[in-house]
Amino acid sequence: MTYKTELHCHTGNVSSCAHATENEVVEKYLEYGYSTLVTTEHINPWTFPRELEGGTWEERLQYFMNGYHKLVEASKGRLNILLGAEIRFMHGNNSDYLVFGLTEEFLRRLGDPRYINSIDVLSRCVRSEGMMIFQAHPFRPTMMVTDPRILDGIEVANCSPWHNSHNNIAMAWAKENNLIGTSGTDFHDPEHIPLGGITTEYEIRDSETLLKTLREGTFELIVPDSAL
């Protein structure tokens, strides 16, 4: 028996570009046989409502965490929900970075990561806490190639039907630079079909197991033909 884990998913509760509710997400992933979902809501220049942009980081953090808590509640124990994020800075770098193993406590101590404006600094902060950082869809137009030495890996199979992520280039880049490659649906809308992620011979129930799995390579990528 194998277990499916999604590594890239957004809901309309937090990500301004997404429209699926927590119930729609959970039911869709259960329908398609997933056991675990890593919620990677955006923390980018467009995430927060205007009134929150003028408030405190604690207020924005609670808005972000609300998406995770709603998914956990909707899952009713039927789907493992793990916390991640897709981070983009306010200035100077248009790329998106997926963080796995994330905790609310870390984000509270870090402060608003959008204002770090340096992938070098963000990477050091993330990795010093034992978490992992991956560049999402690194070869889409407008993305910036990131020094592979400060990344744990890159998303080599982004399954979004609305973007050409040049996954073939990403796969070659990961192999050339000895980077861990991941796959993700980049789920946004109720009609979106889950197509990406990883499979394992065991169920990934927590972030510790996810990080160990990614580091040890004890997984297989889910890569549909449409993503090649």
Side-chain angles (χ1 to χ4, degrees):
M1 181 175 180
T2 59
Y3 297 87
K4 295 166 70 174
T5 297
E6 174 63 79
L7 296 178
H8 195 160
C9 177
H10 304 279
T11 76
N13 294 315
V14 178
S15 299
S16 59
C17 54
H19 304 95
T21 68
E22 65 274 13
N23 289 312
E24 289 170 330
V25 170
V26 167
E27 298 307 324
K28 181 64 70 78
Y29 275 92
L30 288 172
E31 177 187 351
Y32 281 85
Y34 286 74
S35 62
T36 303
L37 183 151
V38 183
T39 173
T40 54
E41 301 283 20
H42 287 290
I43 303 179
N44 66 22
W46 310 281
T47 296
F48 303 107
R50 182 172 297 179
E51 59 271 22
L52 288 182
E53 288 290 7
T56 66
W57 168 236
E58 180 64 27
E59 291 170 331
R60 295 194 293 277
L61 175 58
Q62 291 311 306
Y63 179 88
F64 172 79
M65 289 301 303
N66 186 51
Y68 166 75
H69 292 306
K70 284 187 174 182
L71 279 171
V72 171
E73 183 179 355
S75 73
K76 296 181 172 63
R78 298 171 295 159
L79 186 67
N80 301 304
I81 308 296
L82 307 185
L83 181 64
E86 184 175 3
I87 297 171
R88 180 183 291 200
F89 304 124
M90 293 296 279
H91 306 290
N93 184 336
N94 291 326
S95 295
D96 298 299
Y97 299 95
L98 297 167
V99 177
F100 300 126
L102 196 61
T103 68
E104 181 177 0
E105 293 74 18
F106 170 77
L107 285 173
R108 181 171 287 110
R109 285 186 281 109
L110 181 69
D112 194 332
R114 301 174 303 166
Y115 291 97
I116 293 176
N117 289 334
S118 167
I119 182 54
D120 302 68
V121 174
L122 178 63
S123 176
R124 285 198 300 271
C125 293
V126 165
R127 298 168 91 180
S128 69
E129 297 276 344
M131 296 173 285
M132 301 178 76
I133 188 164
F134 290 70
Q135 187 173 5
H137 40 69
F139 291 97
R140 276 188 195 170
T142 76
M143 298 291 107
M144 300 172 62
V145 176
T146 299
D147 184 344
R149 294 173 296 180
I150 61 175
L151 296 172
D152 292 294
I154 61 173
E155 189 175 51
V156 298
N158 181 282
C159 303
S160 171
W162 303 292
H163 297 277
N164 183 352
S165 297
H166 300 287
N167 292 324
N168 58 328
I169 300 175
M171 288 182 181
W173 182 256
K175 183 176 181 180
E176 179 181 342
N177 292 282
N178 197 32
L179 290 166
I180 301 169
T182 62
S183 167
T185 299
D186 205 352
F187 188 94
H188 279 75
D189 293 303
E191 68 272 16
H192 201 167
I193 297 173
L195 294 173
I198 60 174
T199 62
T200 53
E201 295 181 355
Y202 49 87
E203 189 174 0
I204 296 176
R205 294 190 175 97
D206 51 49
S207 288
E208 182 181 0
T209 303
L210 173 64
L211 295 173
K212 187 173 187 288
T213 297
L214 292 174
R215 289 191 173 104
E216 296 182 354
T218 52
F219 64 90
E220 297 291 333
L221 294 176
I222 303 173
V223 185
D225 290 343
S226 59
L228 298 175

